[in-house]
Amino acid sequence: MGTRTIRSEAVNEAIEYILTHVSESITLEQTAEYCHLSKFYFSRLFKEETGESVCAFIKRFKLEQSAIKLKAENHRQITDIGLDYGYSASNYSSAFKAHYDTSPILFRRKIRERTKFRQSLFDEIDGQITFQVLPDVLVAYDRAIGSYAGMKADWCSFIEKYSPYINSDTVFFDRTFEDPGFTDENRCVYDLCMSIEEKDRARYENTCVLRGGRFAVYPFRGKMPEIYPLHQALIGTWFAHSGYELDERYAYSRYRLVAADCRYMEFDVCIPVKQSKHTEV
């Protein structure tokens, strides 16, 4: 499966609906109704665009988001994380094992072994983290499903496509929703975004609001091969041992500079955190 650019406005609306309601019980019927389409037509359209059925996409996304929490929220009980996505204790273990071929307990154990805690790395990241309350941002976006490696070419196409509307006030973002360390790299969902004004909204095919609130913000300056190790360290080392919990909002990167060849870049990784902090472990 190669990278799929999601061109259907209805399918993008459906995915956005699923993304923002992933902790709830979501059905095919609800999603089709949200898009004002019959479930039969909608099912066929969604499968054509994404390569997955609506139900399979919802189930996969719930389990993969729960896996991120198993990695990021070291102090929380596994059963509580399953409940976040509508699973009872026994159902969560069974569904997780069917998807990952291992239990949530063993999965978390392997993650901990793979990301052995280093105090020096934690302190280095912690020294650069700031907590900021960021505003909502209206953005135009292009969405794809595939390997994050395809983002470089996608950025070039995105900039070219919207170049007539880009000005000195435009801010660029990306949203990556899955961890390719334990998600099929060809099924990762990602958005390339740029800020727009409400009065110009009708110009764009797909728009949404990046929800603001409290974020842990880490400034990155470096080359593309350094990005994946950075994200692993941020979540597996810093966040997992910080005592914080992920908020239901999604993380994003806010770009400050991207070199013409896309090899060097500067951006802020913005991780949504809940207000309260658990006692550190």
Side-chain angles (χ1 to χ4, degrees):
M1 172 183 169
T3 299
R4 294 172 179 261
T5 300
I6 309 303
R7 304 194 183 281
S8 165
E9 183 179 354
V11 172
N12 273 318
E13 287 180 354
I15 292 175
E16 194 67 26
Y17 177 79
I18 293 167
L19 294 177
T20 54
H21 294 80
V22 68
S23 62
E24 303 170 20
S25 176
I26 316 168
T27 66
L28 163 61
E29 290 76 12
Q30 287 172 328
T31 313
E33 182 179 352
Y34 177 80
C35 297
H36 307 290
L37 296 172
S38 76
K39 70 175 183 180
F40 303 106
Y41 173 74
F42 174 68
S43 295
R44 185 170 68 251
L45 180 63
F46 193 93
K47 181 72 176 286
E48 288 173 356
E49 286 279 310
T50 68
E52 294 180 272
S53 70
V54 179
C55 293
F57 182 91
I58 292 170
K59 182 177 181 181
R60 176 175 73 83
F61 203 79
K62 281 177 173 284
L63 290 168
E64 290 171 356
Q65 292 303 299
S66 78
I68 290 173
K69 283 199 173 185
L70 287 174
K71 178 178 180 177
E73 299 179 355
N74 231 359
H75 60 277
R76 291 191 67 203
Q77 295 293 319
I78 287 173
T79 52
D80 290 340
I81 290 174
L83 284 171
D84 287 348
Y85 298 94
Y87 288 100
S88 66
S90 59
N91 287 343
Y92 179 56
S93 183
S94 299
F96 194 95
K97 189 167 186 178
H99 186 68
Y100 282 110
D101 198 30
T102 189
S103 70
I105 294 173
L106 290 177
F107 177 88
R108 176 178 263 180
R109 187 177 299 164
K110 288 176 183 177
I111 290 292
R112 286 174 173 172
E113 291 171 356
R114 191 188 308 164
T115 57
K116 291 188 182 298
F117 178 71
R118 290 191 290 130
Q119 186 67 49
S120 59
L121 178 59
F122 178 91
D123 292 341
E124 178 185 343
I125 295 171
D126 194 57
Q128 297 187 66
I129 290 281
T130 59
F131 290 90
Q132 301 178 25
V133 177
L134 303 178
D136 290 352
V137 183
L138 177 64
V139 297
Y141 69 89
D142 279 358
R143 174 170 292 143
I145 299 178
S147 171
Y148 290 154
M151 290 179 70
K152 178 180 177 181
D154 289 345
W155 267 121
C156 294
S157 300
F158 184 82
I159 298 298
E160 182 179 359
K161 178 179 177 181
Y162 291 117
S163 58
Y165 309 125
I166 295 170
N167 57 53
S168 59
D169 294 324
T170 303
V171 181
F172 295 94
F173 305 85
D174 73 43
R175 293 197 295 180
T176 55
F177 298 98
E178 285 139 321
D179 186 330
F182 45 77
T183 294
D184 180 346
E185 67 172 2
N186 293 314
R187 293 192 180 277
C188 293
V189 180
Y190 60 89
D191 296 346
L192 308 183
C193 316
M194 71 180 202
S195 61
I196 62 173
E197 295 185 31
E198 181 64 45
K199 66 182 178 63
D200 299 325
R201 193 169 193 162
R203 288 177 176 172
Y204 303 96
E205 297 172 9
N206 303 299
T207 63
C208 70
V209 173
L210 302 186
R211 290 179 56 200
R214 188 168 185 249
F215 288 82
V217 179
Y218 180 89
F220 171 79
R221 293 169 176 78
K223 298 181 179 180
M224 187 169 283
E226 301 170 35
I227 296 175
Y228 178 72
L230 166 70
H231 280 282
Q232 297 305 303
L234 278 172
I235 298 300
T237 297
W238 182 79
F239 205 98
H241 296 274
S242 69
Y244 288 101
E245 292 182 15
L246 292 169
D247 192 67
E248 67 273 8
R249 294 166 289 126
Y250 288 100
Y252 58 76
S253 295
R254 178 180 57 190
Y255 285 79
R256 298 182 179 278
L257 173 69
V258 179
D261 60 5
C262 294
R263 291 182 181 175
Y264 176 83
M265 52 197 65
E266 298 179 2
F267 57 78
D268 294 331
V269 181
C270 304
I271 305 172
V273 295
K274 293 186 176 179
Q275 291 294 331
S276 58
K277 181 178 179 182
H278 188 274
T279 303
E280 293 189 18
V281 294

